[in-house]
Amino acid sequence: MTKCPFRVAIIGAGFGGIAAAVKLRKYTDVEYTIFEREAGVGGTWFINRYPGCEVDVHSHAYSFSFIKYDWPRTHGTQEELQQYADWVVDTFGIRPHIRFNTVIAQVRWFDEDAEYEVTTAAGDRERFNAVISAVGLLDVPNIPAWPGLDSFQGVTFHTSRWEHQHDLAGKRIAVVGTGSTAAQVVPALAPIAGELFVYQREPGWVRPKSQRPFTPRERWIYKHVPFAQRWSRAKIFWQSMRRANAHDVNSRRQRRMRAECEAHINRSVQDPEIRKALTPTYPYGCKRVVTASDYYPVFNRPNVTLVPHAVTSVTPTGIVDATGTERPVDVLVLSTGFQPTRFLVNIKVYGRDGIELHNVWKDRQSAFLGITVPGFPNFFILYGPNTNGATSVIAQLETQAAFAARAIRRLRRRRKSSVDTNPTAAEEFVRWIDHQLDKHASVWSAGCTNYYHDEHGANVTQWPRSHLLYALLARFTARWALRYS
Ligand code: NAP
């Protein structure tokens, strides 16, 4: 290897940034700096602190594969995931490399030096040999443009920017949205709210979750028995792969998953009218399936009302729905999701010849394996286009981080200064993705509203196959796709 320093900037200290640091340590001898916008690590789990916040993927899958952890529950709460992120960071000595409260605004490639100039929002500039973006996908809140929203005189906030200073006890609260976040917020608010209105534009399919604490015996086994946690992880991935067969709308698995969810509604909700309003008419899996056991029973409570209509406007004192009915409320909680089809929206990335990434992406946001874009040497994207939706995002991030670290290792071993993507590989990849989406994931275009498609109608967020296939492709296609110079 050539001599240090080869410097890598990592943007974000969420699970992606942490994975990048660990993989760089494993595969290379480079120096790295992590720039983090917030005051702590954990990314989405640092920001999202709404009541009831916890992950809906099993802890043994929603964790790094490279280190065993003594999980207290089958599904980590926000606090537990935050603790886990801190623990991994400290276990691997990553914290001294992190610059907190630092926003990156721009990244510019200088071909003659084979370096990026990284510029913070405060205007500070620094040079790095490579950049790994780990800014996540579900970060920029989707704030609806309802007429009158600004005039609302009560309290309003988005779930991902929860304002904990307000006492919500006894208040009339409206939650707008019924996605995975709302399915956690609503059961947490129902016992304390005076009245709770849940505004549902289009219902989602909801599977039971079955979260519980691990028994002391289970914890002992997962801690001490070799491979027990790995075996549990493998089983979860296997089950998730089988459920993914339902992505074909005509499959038997599709019918089985719908039946499972319908039975869940029928078991949990007493009122037949509400059951009907909660039941989707489109195929299972078209929207991201919500996993929650305590969501449906909330609608049996006398203080909870399901409003199965879109919001059309907001008045200074209430919310108006599509039937024209206004309901006075004190608190308006926007559980309206994010803007995942706008990748790297807050960072300007300039590659070779000064071209800006969003210009390259004006017709279609794409990257080879969602990670590298031709013309942007030494730049790696974690959780980029078409990489969402395979069992555990942490596993995907780990794979992408390893891909980046191995590419940097090869660069160093070959004594080269830049690694770029073969344009043919990038084009072939998009063609392959679109084919796979058509063939294996017809459900995502099966007549519902979901957040996967861009303004041109292309599905730019979803990975249509298993995590295993993604990991294999990441391991074995790099030599074909990457060019070193
Ligand atoms: P989401 O799934 O995008 O749901 C947003 C909700 O807001 C939908 O019900 C949507 O209605 C509604 N909505 C959006 N704009 C609206 C408008 N203008 N008027 C009325 N309703 C509107 O967002 P989310 O629930 O925050 O979840 C986002 C993602 O975060 C999830 O898909 C998941 O990937 C992740 N997440 C994960 C976990 C976890 O445990 N792992 C937990 C929470 C979130 P329509 O359905 O009609 O569009």
Side-chain angles (χ1 to χ4, degrees), residues 254-267:
Q254 166 70 218
R255 289 194 292 280
R256 276 175 60 180
M257 297 314 296
R258 278 179 82 138
E260 187 188 314
C261 294
E262 280 162 0
H264 180 38
I265 301 178
N266 293 337
R267 264 197 318 271

PDB file of all heavy atoms in Angstrom, residues 254-267:
ATOM      1  N   GLN A 254     -49.084 -13.721  -1.996  1.00  0.00           N
ATOM      2  CA  GLN A 254     -49.867 -12.478  -1.953  1.00  0.00           C
ATOM      3  C   GLN A 254     -51.223 -12.751  -1.290  1.00  0.00           C
ATOM      4  O   GLN A 254     -51.661 -12.029  -0.394  1.00  0.00           O
ATOM      5  CB  GLN A 254     -50.043 -11.948  -3.385  1.00  0.00           C
ATOM      6  CG  GLN A 254     -51.084 -10.872  -3.581  1.00  0.00           C
ATOM      7  CD  GLN A 254     -50.732  -9.517  -2.984  1.00  0.00           C
ATOM      8  OE1 GLN A 254     -51.607  -8.851  -2.459  1.00  0.00           O
ATOM      9  NE2 GLN A 254     -49.470  -9.114  -3.044  1.00  0.00           N
ATOM     10  N   ARG A 255     -51.872 -13.818  -1.707  1.00  0.00           N
ATOM     11  CA  ARG A 255     -53.199 -14.133  -1.141  1.00  0.00           C
ATOM     12  C   ARG A 255     -53.073 -14.462   0.341  1.00  0.00           C
ATOM     13  O   ARG A 255     -53.890 -14.040   1.146  1.00  0.00           O
ATOM     14  CB  ARG A 255     -53.825 -15.309  -1.913  1.00  0.00           C
ATOM     15  CG  ARG A 255     -54.256 -14.928  -3.333  1.00  0.00           C
ATOM     16  CD  ARG A 255     -55.150 -15.978  -3.944  1.00  0.00           C
ATOM     17  NE  ARG A 255     -54.455 -17.233  -4.218  1.00  0.00           N
ATOM     18  CZ  ARG A 255     -53.686 -17.445  -5.289  1.00  0.00           C
ATOM     19  NH1 ARG A 255     -53.521 -16.497  -6.186  1.00  0.00           N
ATOM     20  NH2 ARG A 255     -53.086 -18.607  -5.463  1.00  0.00           N
ATOM     21  N   ARG A 256     -52.021 -15.192   0.698  1.00  0.00           N
ATOM     22  CA  ARG A 256     -51.838 -15.572   2.105  1.00  0.00           C
ATOM     23  C   ARG A 256     -51.578 -14.358   2.985  1.00  0.00           C
ATOM     24  O   ARG A 256     -52.104 -14.252   4.090  1.00  0.00           O
ATOM     25  CB  ARG A 256     -50.665 -16.555   2.237  1.00  0.00           C
ATOM     26  CG  ARG A 256     -51.116 -17.968   1.955  1.00  0.00           C
ATOM     27  CD  ARG A 256     -49.987 -18.929   1.950  1.00  0.00           C
ATOM     28  NE  ARG A 256     -49.271 -18.967   3.223  1.00  0.00           N
ATOM     29  CZ  ARG A 256     -48.223 -19.745   3.448  1.00  0.00           C
ATOM     30  NH1 ARG A 256     -47.785 -20.528   2.492  1.00  0.00           N
ATOM     31  NH2 ARG A 256     -47.620 -19.744   4.594  1.00  0.00           N
ATOM     32  N   MET A 257     -50.769 -13.427   2.505  1.00  0.00           N
ATOM     33  CA  MET A 257     -50.446 -12.251   3.313  1.00  0.00           C
ATOM     34  C   MET A 257     -51.684 -11.373   3.483  1.00  0.00           C
ATOM     35  O   MET A 257     -51.917 -10.825   4.561  1.00  0.00           O
ATOM     36  CB  MET A 257     -49.303 -11.433   2.677  1.00  0.00           C
ATOM     37  CG  MET A 257     -47.966 -12.143   2.570  1.00  0.00           C
ATOM     38  SD  MET A 257     -47.424 -13.029   4.037  1.00  0.00           S
ATOM     39  CE  MET A 257     -47.223 -11.732   5.223  1.00  0.00           C
ATOM     40  N   ARG A 258     -52.475 -11.243   2.418  1.00  0.00           N
ATOM     41  CA  ARG A 258     -53.717 -10.462   2.539  1.00  0.00           C
ATOM     42  C   ARG A 258     -54.633 -11.093   3.566  1.00  0.00           C
ATOM     43  O   ARG A 258     -55.216 -10.404   4.413  1.00  0.00           O
ATOM     44  CB  ARG A 258     -54.446 -10.393   1.191  1.00  0.00           C
ATOM     45  CG  ARG A 258     -53.913  -9.336   0.288  1.00  0.00           C
ATOM     46  CD  ARG A 258     -54.640  -9.318  -1.038  1.00  0.00           C
ATOM     47  NE  ARG A 258     -55.896  -8.592  -0.959  1.00  0.00           N
ATOM     48  CZ  ARG A 258     -56.328  -7.752  -1.888  1.00  0.00           C
ATOM     49  NH1 ARG A 258     -55.601  -7.528  -2.941  1.00  0.00           N
ATOM     50  NH2 ARG A 258     -57.478  -7.146  -1.773  1.00  0.00           N
ATOM     51  N   ALA A 259     -54.750 -12.408   3.493  1.00  0.00           N
ATOM     52  CA  ALA A 259     -55.644 -13.116   4.422  1.00  0.00           C
ATOM     53  C   ALA A 259     -55.168 -12.923   5.865  1.00  0.00           C
ATOM     54  O   ALA A 259     -55.973 -12.699   6.773  1.00  0.00           O
ATOM     55  CB  ALA A 259     -55.693 -14.603   4.068  1.00  0.00           C
ATOM     56  N   GLU A 260     -53.839 -12.975   6.050  1.00  0.00           N
ATOM     57  CA  GLU A 260     -53.287 -12.790   7.404  1.00  0.00           C
ATOM     58  C   GLU A 260     -53.648 -11.394   7.937  1.00  0.00           C
ATOM     59  O   GLU A 260     -54.059 -11.236   9.093  1.00  0.00           O
ATOM     60  CB  GLU A 260     -51.756 -12.948   7.355  1.00  0.00           C
ATOM     61  CG  GLU A 260     -51.103 -12.937   8.715  1.00  0.00           C
ATOM     62  CD  GLU A 260     -49.566 -12.911   8.630  1.00  0.00           C
ATOM     63  OE1 GLU A 260     -48.978 -13.688   7.848  1.00  0.00           O
ATOM     64  OE2 GLU A 260     -48.963 -12.090   9.344  1.00  0.00           O
ATOM     65  N   CYS A 261     -53.522 -10.385   7.076  1.00  0.00           N
ATOM     66  CA  CYS A 261     -53.815  -9.004   7.505  1.00  0.00           C
ATOM     67  C   CYS A 261     -55.307  -8.807   7.732  1.00  0.00           C
ATOM     68  O   CYS A 261     -55.710  -8.128   8.688  1.00  0.00           O
ATOM     69  CB  CYS A 261     -53.314  -8.010   6.469  1.00  0.00           C
ATOM     70  SG  CYS A 261     -51.530  -8.003   6.337  1.00  0.00           S
ATOM     71  N   GLU A 262     -56.136  -9.397   6.867  1.00  0.00           N
ATOM     72  CA  GLU A 262     -57.595  -9.256   7.053  1.00  0.00           C
ATOM     73  C   GLU A 262     -58.023  -9.890   8.367  1.00  0.00           C
ATOM     74  O   GLU A 262     -58.848  -9.344   9.106  1.00  0.00           O
ATOM     75  CB  GLU A 262     -58.342  -9.874   5.857  1.00  0.00           C
ATOM     76  CG  GLU A 262     -58.359  -8.930   4.666  1.00  0.00           C
ATOM     77  CD  GLU A 262     -58.675  -9.615   3.340  1.00  0.00           C
ATOM     78  OE1 GLU A 262     -58.895 -10.842   3.327  1.00  0.00           O
ATOM     79  OE2 GLU A 262     -58.673  -8.909   2.332  1.00  0.00           O
ATOM     80  N   ALA A 263     -57.427 -11.045   8.674  1.00  0.00           N
ATOM     81  CA  ALA A 263     -57.753 -11.712   9.944  1.00  0.00           C
ATOM     82  C   ALA A 263     -57.329 -10.818  11.118  1.00  0.00           C
ATOM     83  O   ALA A 263     -58.030 -10.741  12.132  1.00  0.00           O
ATOM     84  CB  ALA A 263     -57.043 -13.062  10.020  1.00  0.00           C
ATOM     85  N   HIS A 264     -56.202 -10.136  10.953  1.00  0.00           N
ATOM     86  CA  HIS A 264     -55.706  -9.226  11.997  1.00  0.00           C
ATOM     87  C   HIS A 264     -56.718  -8.095  12.235  1.00  0.00           C
ATOM     88  O   HIS A 264     -57.028  -7.748  13.380  1.00  0.00           O
ATOM     89  CB  HIS A 264     -54.336  -8.696  11.554  1.00  0.00           C
ATOM     90  CG  HIS A 264     -53.678  -7.762  12.501  1.00  0.00           C
ATOM     91  ND1 HIS A 264     -53.735  -7.899  13.868  1.00  0.00           N
ATOM     92  CD2 HIS A 264     -52.921  -6.638  12.273  1.00  0.00           C
ATOM     93  CE1 HIS A 264     -53.053  -6.919  14.441  1.00  0.00           C
ATOM     94  NE2 HIS A 264     -52.562  -6.142  13.497  1.00  0.00           N
ATOM     95  N   ILE A 265     -57.251  -7.529  11.150  1.00  0.00           N
ATOM     96  CA  ILE A 265     -58.264  -6.464  11.288  1.00  0.00           C
ATOM     97  C   ILE A 265     -59.497  -7.030  11.991  1.00  0.00           C
ATOM     98  O   ILE A 265     -60.003  -6.442  12.957  1.00  0.00           O
ATOM     99  CB  ILE A 265     -58.703  -5.888   9.912  1.00  0.00           C
ATOM    100  CG1 ILE A 265     -57.509  -5.307   9.159  1.00  0.00           C
ATOM    101  CG2 ILE A 265     -59.806  -4.834  10.090  1.00  0.00           C
ATOM    102  CD1 ILE A 265     -57.840  -4.758   7.786  1.00  0.00           C
ATOM    103  N   ASN A 266     -59.970  -8.165  11.517  1.00  0.00           N
ATOM    104  CA  ASN A 266     -61.224  -8.722  12.053  1.00  0.00           C
ATOM    105  C   ASN A 266     -61.100  -9.068  13.532  1.00  0.00           C
ATOM    106  O   ASN A 266     -62.050  -8.895  14.294  1.00  0.00           O
ATOM    107  CB  ASN A 266     -61.650  -9.949  11.242  1.00  0.00           C
ATOM    108  CG  ASN A 266     -62.036  -9.528   9.833  1.00  0.00           C
ATOM    109  OD1 ASN A 266     -62.392  -8.374   9.596  1.00  0.00           O
ATOM    110  ND2 ASN A 266     -61.935 -10.451   8.878  1.00  0.00           N
ATOM    111  N   ARG A 267     -59.915  -9.564  13.907  1.00  0.00           N
ATOM    112  CA  ARG A 267     -59.687  -9.887  15.330  1.00  0.00           C
ATOM    113  C   ARG A 267     -59.631  -8.635  16.198  1.00  0.00           C
ATOM    114  O   ARG A 267     -60.053  -8.653  17.340  1.00  0.00           O
ATOM    115  CB  ARG A 267     -58.302 -10.552  15.460  1.00  0.00           C
ATOM    116  CG  ARG A 267     -58.289 -12.056  15.475  1.00  0.00           C
ATOM    117  CD  ARG A 267     -56.960 -12.571  16.006  1.00  0.00           C
ATOM    118  NE  ARG A 267     -55.775 -11.886  15.530  1.00  0.00           N
ATOM    119  CZ  ARG A 267     -55.087 -12.195  14.439  1.00  0.00           C
ATOM    120  NH1 ARG A 267     -55.496 -13.176  13.668  1.00  0.00           N
ATOM    121  NH2 ARG A 267     -53.997 -11.539  14.107  1.00  0.00           N
TER     122      ARG A 267
END
